Amino acid sequence: MPVPDVMFCAQQIHVPPELPDIMKQFTKAAIRTQPRDVLQWSYGYFYALSRGEPLPVKERVEIPVATQKNDTGLTPGLLKILHKQLSEKKIVDIPELQRKWKNLCLPVQQLHNLLRLDSFADGVEWMKFFALACSALGGSLLSSMKHACEILTNDPQGAAARIPYDTFAFLYTYLAGLDEEITEEAVESYLKALKEQVSRKEYMVGIADFSIAKKV
């Protein structure tokens, strides 16, 4: 027997009082993030909201770095979202990384290409993957490190973009180790010069510091 049509009046429809603010914040987040696939991103947004997880939202509207040369999809703003969502776990399951990546509407093939650069069979060591993602944004080792500093720093936008020396040294050593043309001696020499440069600054490395160290 078919269900009869039911006419609801405005008084019969209960609207939760928090819904208008939720939709307002959602709309502002969508404008700031400008996802390629609004439906997929919306799923990720409300999934994260329901679980109390960091939302897939950019801090500000950005001009994608990818548009400068070719469209790779990944941008510093999107990588910063992934870092907020996944960095606390240290080791990330590949299915979870794939889900977060997909919810940001990023190309699946790009993720596969990054994962092939190291052995992540037992899970993804997040900071190593983060370094690889920075290398996808930068055309050189120092450019990759510049992106890393700008994403990881707690400094305000446009400031020195400082990060702890130990974090910088780990990322730099890892990426340099993937380049057959860079010797271990060269890496050690560079990091030694850098450490001497920042020794008076509580071991915080800024973009200007590692640019100077490169010339030493």
Side-chain angles (χ1 to χ4, degrees):
M1 180 177 179
V3 178
D5 293 335
V6 180
M7 294 295 293
F8 290 95
C9 64
Q11 289 75 16
Q12 290 177 296
I13 301 176
H14 173 67
V15 178
E18 62 272 18
L19 182 60
D21 185 61
I22 290 175
M23 296 309 299
K24 178 181 178 180
Q25 296 304 319
F26 165 75
T27 302
K28 291 169 64 176
I31 293 173
R32 193 158 63 244
T33 306
Q34 299 185 0
R36 294 184 177 187
D37 185 337
V38 176
L39 184 60
Q40 180 65 52
W41 176 83
S42 299
Y43 165 80
Y45 179 93
F46 286 109
Y47 181 88
L49 184 65
S50 68
R51 296 168 65 90
E53 298 176 353
L55 300 175
V57 180
K58 292 180 182 178
E59 294 182 353
R60 60 186 65 85
V61 176
E62 66 173 349
I63 300 173
V65 174
T67 61
Q68 295 178 6
K69 293 184 179 179
N70 47 52
D71 189 2
T72 62
L74 189 65
T75 69
L78 294 175
L79 181 53
K80 190 165 188 174
I81 291 174
L82 287 171
H83 184 70
K84 288 182 177 180
Q85 293 178 321
L86 299 171
S87 59
E88 289 188 0
K89 297 189 176 182
K90 311 297 183 184
I91 303 296
V92 182
D93 292 335
I94 290 180
E96 182 177 10
L97 174 57
Q98 291 174 327
R99 178 167 58 82
K100 298 293 188 184
W101 189 272
K102 181 179 179 181
N103 288 341
L104 289 176
C105 314
L106 290 168
V108 175
Q109 187 58 50
Q110 186 182 24
L111 175 59
H112 292 167
N113 292 341
L114 290 173
L115 291 174
R116 291 192 189 102
L117 297 175
D118 203 332
S119 175
F120 294 120
D122 297 324
V124 177
E125 186 174 340
W126 174 251
M127 288 307 291
K128 288 185 176 181
F129 181 85
F130 174 82
L132 294 173
C134 286
S135 72
L137 296 174
S140 65
L141 178 55
L142 286 185
S143 177
S144 301
M145 294 308 303
K146 179 177 182 291
H147 283 297
C149 287
E150 291 174 341
I151 292 170
L152 296 177
T153 188
N154 291 322
D155 290 344
Q157 186 181 17
R162 298 166 302 165
I163 65 173
Y165 170 83
D166 289 345
T167 300
F168 182 94
F170 173 83
L171 297 173
Y172 185 88
T173 301
Y174 175 68
L175 289 178
L178 299 177
D179 190 333
E180 296 179 354
E181 296 183 359
I182 302 178
T183 65
E184 292 185 13
E185 291 77 11
V187 173
E188 292 175 1
S189 176
Y190 173 74
L191 291 178
K192 180 181 178 181
L194 177 63
K195 193 170 186 179
E196 292 174 353
Q197 175 68 28
V198 303
S199 61
R200 300 182 301 277
K201 301 179 182 178
E202 300 180 354
Y203 293 103
M204 295 293 286
V205 180
I207 293 173
D209 294 317
F210 67 77
S211 296
I212 292 173
K214 185 65 177 176
K215 299 176 183 179
V216 176

PDB file of all heavy atoms in Angstrom, residues 92-100 111-112 115 120-124:
ATOM      1  N   VAL A  92      50.604   6.824   9.598  1.00  0.00           N
ATOM      2  CA  VAL A  92      49.243   6.911   9.070  1.00  0.00           C
ATOM      3  C   VAL A  92      48.942   5.704   8.191  1.00  0.00           C
ATOM      4  O   VAL A  92      49.770   5.318   7.355  1.00  0.00           O
ATOM      5  CB  VAL A  92      49.063   8.204   8.250  1.00  0.00           C
ATOM      6  CG1 VAL A  92      47.637   8.322   7.729  1.00  0.00           C
ATOM      7  CG2 VAL A  92      49.433   9.423   9.085  1.00  0.00           C
ATOM      8  N   ASP A  93      47.786   5.109   8.382  1.00  0.00           N
ATOM      9  CA  ASP A  93      47.364   4.010   7.509  1.00  0.00           C
ATOM     10  C   ASP A  93      47.104   4.555   6.105  1.00  0.00           C
ATOM     11  O   ASP A  93      46.516   5.638   5.953  1.00  0.00           O
ATOM     12  CB  ASP A  93      46.082   3.348   8.039  1.00  0.00           C
ATOM     13  CG  ASP A  93      46.322   2.607   9.346  1.00  0.00           C
ATOM     14  OD1 ASP A  93      47.469   2.197   9.580  1.00  0.00           O
ATOM     15  OD2 ASP A  93      45.371   2.453  10.122  1.00  0.00           O
ATOM     16  N   ILE A  94      47.517   3.809   5.108  1.00  0.00           N
ATOM     17  CA  ILE A  94      47.335   4.258   3.728  1.00  0.00           C
ATOM     18  C   ILE A  94      45.865   4.507   3.389  1.00  0.00           C
ATOM     19  O   ILE A  94      45.551   5.522   2.748  1.00  0.00           O
ATOM     20  CB  ILE A  94      47.976   3.254   2.749  1.00  0.00           C
ATOM     21  CG1 ILE A  94      49.510   3.320   2.881  1.00  0.00           C
ATOM     22  CG2 ILE A  94      47.556   3.550   1.303  1.00  0.00           C
ATOM     23  CD1 ILE A  94      50.256   2.371   1.973  1.00  0.00           C
ATOM     24  N   PRO A  95      44.913   3.626   3.803  1.00  0.00           N
ATOM     25  CA  PRO A  95      43.505   3.916   3.487  1.00  0.00           C
ATOM     26  C   PRO A  95      43.025   5.254   4.059  1.00  0.00           C
ATOM     27  O   PRO A  95      42.245   5.957   3.416  1.00  0.00           O
ATOM     28  CB  PRO A  95      42.758   2.739   4.122  1.00  0.00           C
ATOM     29  CG  PRO A  95      43.748   1.625   4.123  1.00  0.00           C
ATOM     30  CD  PRO A  95      45.058   2.291   4.411  1.00  0.00           C
ATOM     31  N   GLU A  96      43.488   5.607   5.249  1.00  0.00           N
ATOM     32  CA  GLU A  96      43.082   6.893   5.828  1.00  0.00           C
ATOM     33  C   GLU A  96      43.677   8.049   5.038  1.00  0.00           C
ATOM     34  O   GLU A  96      42.997   9.050   4.778  1.00  0.00           O
ATOM     35  CB  GLU A  96      43.515   6.984   7.288  1.00  0.00           C
ATOM     36  CG  GLU A  96      43.079   8.292   7.944  1.00  0.00           C
ATOM     37  CD  GLU A  96      43.427   8.381   9.413  1.00  0.00           C
ATOM     38  OE1 GLU A  96      44.177   7.506   9.901  1.00  0.00           O
ATOM     39  OE2 GLU A  96      42.953   9.323  10.077  1.00  0.00           O
ATOM     40  N   LEU A  97      44.939   7.930   4.656  1.00  0.00           N
ATOM     41  CA  LEU A  97      45.566   8.966   3.836  1.00  0.00           C
ATOM     42  C   LEU A  97      44.840   9.104   2.509  1.00  0.00           C
ATOM     43  O   LEU A  97      44.583  10.219   2.038  1.00  0.00           O
ATOM     44  CB  LEU A  97      47.040   8.627   3.599  1.00  0.00           C
ATOM     45  CG  LEU A  97      47.812   9.540   2.634  1.00  0.00           C
ATOM     46  CD1 LEU A  97      47.745  10.993   3.089  1.00  0.00           C
ATOM     47  CD2 LEU A  97      49.259   9.076   2.519  1.00  0.00           C
ATOM     48  N   GLN A  98      44.468   7.992   1.910  1.00  0.00           N
ATOM     49  CA  GLN A  98      43.738   8.024   0.647  1.00  0.00           C
ATOM     50  C   GLN A  98      42.398   8.726   0.801  1.00  0.00           C
ATOM     51  O   GLN A  98      41.984   9.494  -0.074  1.00  0.00           O
ATOM     52  CB  GLN A  98      43.532   6.595   0.129  1.00  0.00           C
ATOM     53  CG  GLN A  98      44.813   5.919  -0.334  1.00  0.00           C
ATOM     54  CD  GLN A  98      44.600   4.464  -0.697  1.00  0.00           C
ATOM     55  OE1 GLN A  98      43.767   3.770  -0.100  1.00  0.00           O
ATOM     56  NE2 GLN A  98      45.359   3.971  -1.666  1.00  0.00           N
ATOM     57  N   ARG A  99      41.727   8.479   1.927  1.00  0.00           N
ATOM     58  CA  ARG A  99      40.417   9.102   2.155  1.00  0.00           C
ATOM     59  C   ARG A  99      40.557  10.612   2.333  1.00  0.00           C
ATOM     60  O   ARG A  99      39.797  11.394   1.743  1.00  0.00           O
ATOM     61  CB  ARG A  99      39.756   8.481   3.383  1.00  0.00           C
ATOM     62  CG  ARG A  99      38.400   9.097   3.737  1.00  0.00           C
ATOM     63  CD  ARG A  99      37.664   8.243   4.753  1.00  0.00           C
ATOM     64  NE  ARG A  99      38.442   8.076   5.961  1.00  0.00           N
ATOM     65  CZ  ARG A  99      38.488   8.979   6.952  1.00  0.00           C
ATOM     66  NH1 ARG A  99      37.814  10.108   6.839  1.00  0.00           N
ATOM     67  NH2 ARG A  99      39.186   8.744   8.037  1.00  0.00           N
ATOM     68  N   LYS A 100      41.531  11.034   3.133  1.00  0.00           N
ATOM     69  CA  LYS A 100      41.743  12.469   3.336  1.00  0.00           C
ATOM     70  C   LYS A 100      42.137  13.146   2.021  1.00  0.00           C
ATOM     71  O   LYS A 100      41.693  14.262   1.712  1.00  0.00           O
ATOM     72  CB  LYS A 100      42.842  12.700   4.375  1.00  0.00           C
ATOM     73  CG  LYS A 100      42.540  12.160   5.764  1.00  0.00           C
ATOM     74  CD  LYS A 100      41.408  12.897   6.439  1.00  0.00           C
ATOM     75  CE  LYS A 100      41.274  12.451   7.889  1.00  0.00           C
ATOM     76  NZ  LYS A 100      40.109  13.091   8.570  1.00  0.00           N
ATOM     77  N   LEU A 111      49.020  10.967  -5.580  1.00  0.00           N
ATOM     78  CA  LEU A 111      49.264  10.282  -4.310  1.00  0.00           C
ATOM     79  C   LEU A 111      50.041   8.999  -4.544  1.00  0.00           C
ATOM     80  O   LEU A 111      51.008   8.702  -3.825  1.00  0.00           O
ATOM     81  CB  LEU A 111      47.940   9.979  -3.610  1.00  0.00           C
ATOM     82  CG  LEU A 111      48.034   9.160  -2.320  1.00  0.00           C
ATOM     83  CD1 LEU A 111      48.895   9.866  -1.284  1.00  0.00           C
ATOM     84  CD2 LEU A 111      46.640   8.877  -1.761  1.00  0.00           C
ATOM     85  N   HIS A 112      49.640   8.217  -5.529  1.00  0.00           N
ATOM     86  CA  HIS A 112      50.348   6.977  -5.842  1.00  0.00           C
ATOM     87  C   HIS A 112      51.804   7.255  -6.206  1.00  0.00           C
ATOM     88  O   HIS A 112      52.711   6.511  -5.791  1.00  0.00           O
ATOM     89  CB  HIS A 112      49.645   6.246  -6.991  1.00  0.00           C
ATOM     90  CG  HIS A 112      48.299   5.722  -6.613  1.00  0.00           C
ATOM     91  ND1 HIS A 112      47.376   5.266  -7.544  1.00  0.00           N
ATOM     92  CD2 HIS A 112      47.697   5.572  -5.410  1.00  0.00           C
ATOM     93  CE1 HIS A 112      46.285   4.862  -6.940  1.00  0.00           C
ATOM     94  NE2 HIS A 112      46.446   5.043  -5.637  1.00  0.00           N
ATOM     95  N   LEU A 115      53.759   7.966  -3.005  1.00  0.00           N
ATOM     96  CA  LEU A 115      53.951   6.781  -2.176  1.00  0.00           C
ATOM     97  C   LEU A 115      55.004   5.847  -2.758  1.00  0.00           C
ATOM     98  O   LEU A 115      55.639   5.087  -2.019  1.00  0.00           O
ATOM     99  CB  LEU A 115      52.620   6.035  -2.016  1.00  0.00           C
ATOM    100  CG  LEU A 115      51.553   6.751  -1.173  1.00  0.00           C
ATOM    101  CD1 LEU A 115      50.239   5.970  -1.214  1.00  0.00           C
ATOM    102  CD2 LEU A 115      52.027   6.920   0.270  1.00  0.00           C
ATOM    103  N   PHE A 120      56.388   2.295   2.050  1.00  0.00           N
ATOM    104  CA  PHE A 120      55.408   2.577   3.091  1.00  0.00           C
ATOM    105  C   PHE A 120      54.475   1.378   3.304  1.00  0.00           C
ATOM    106  O   PHE A 120      53.299   1.551   3.613  1.00  0.00           O
ATOM    107  CB  PHE A 120      54.575   3.813   2.727  1.00  0.00           C
ATOM    108  CG  PHE A 120      55.359   5.094   2.693  1.00  0.00           C
ATOM    109  CD1 PHE A 120      55.434   5.834   1.522  1.00  0.00           C
ATOM    110  CD2 PHE A 120      56.018   5.553   3.817  1.00  0.00           C
ATOM    111  CE1 PHE A 120      56.141   7.035   1.484  1.00  0.00           C
ATOM    112  CE2 PHE A 120      56.727   6.749   3.790  1.00  0.00           C
ATOM    113  CZ  PHE A 120      56.785   7.491   2.624  1.00  0.00           C
ATOM    114  N   ALA A 121      54.993   0.191   3.175  1.00  0.00           N
ATOM    115  CA  ALA A 121      54.156  -1.008   3.254  1.00  0.00           C
ATOM    116  C   ALA A 121      53.499  -1.165   4.620  1.00  0.00           C
ATOM    117  O   ALA A 121      52.370  -1.663   4.733  1.00  0.00           O
ATOM    118  CB  ALA A 121      54.989  -2.243   2.929  1.00  0.00           C
ATOM    119  N   ASP A 122      54.187  -0.752   5.686  1.00  0.00           N
ATOM    120  CA  ASP A 122      53.656  -0.922   7.045  1.00  0.00           C
ATOM    121  C   ASP A 122      53.019   0.346   7.589  1.00  0.00           C
ATOM    122  O   ASP A 122      52.841   0.494   8.799  1.00  0.00           O
ATOM    123  CB  ASP A 122      54.786  -1.371   7.989  1.00  0.00           C
ATOM    124  CG  ASP A 122      55.363  -2.725   7.589  1.00  0.00           C
ATOM    125  OD1 ASP A 122      54.590  -3.580   7.122  1.00  0.00           O
ATOM    126  OD2 ASP A 122      56.584  -2.905   7.726  1.00  0.00           O
ATOM    127  N   GLY A 123      52.693   1.240   6.722  1.00  0.00           N
ATOM    128  CA  GLY A 123      52.118   2.511   7.143  1.00  0.00           C
ATOM    129  C   GLY A 123      52.994   3.660   6.682  1.00  0.00           C
ATOM    130  O   GLY A 123      54.180   3.488   6.394  1.00  0.00           O
ATOM    131  N   VAL A 124      52.423   4.835   6.639  1.00  0.00           N
ATOM    132  CA  VAL A 124      53.113   6.015   6.121  1.00  0.00           C
ATOM    133  C   VAL A 124      53.661   6.837   7.287  1.00  0.00           C
ATOM    134  O   VAL A 124      52.895   7.328   8.119  1.00  0.00           O
ATOM    135  CB  VAL A 124      52.155   6.876   5.273  1.00  0.00           C
ATOM    136  CG1 VAL A 124      52.856   8.137   4.791  1.00  0.00           C
ATOM    137  CG2 VAL A 124      51.610   6.067   4.101  1.00  0.00           C
TER     138      VAL A 124
END
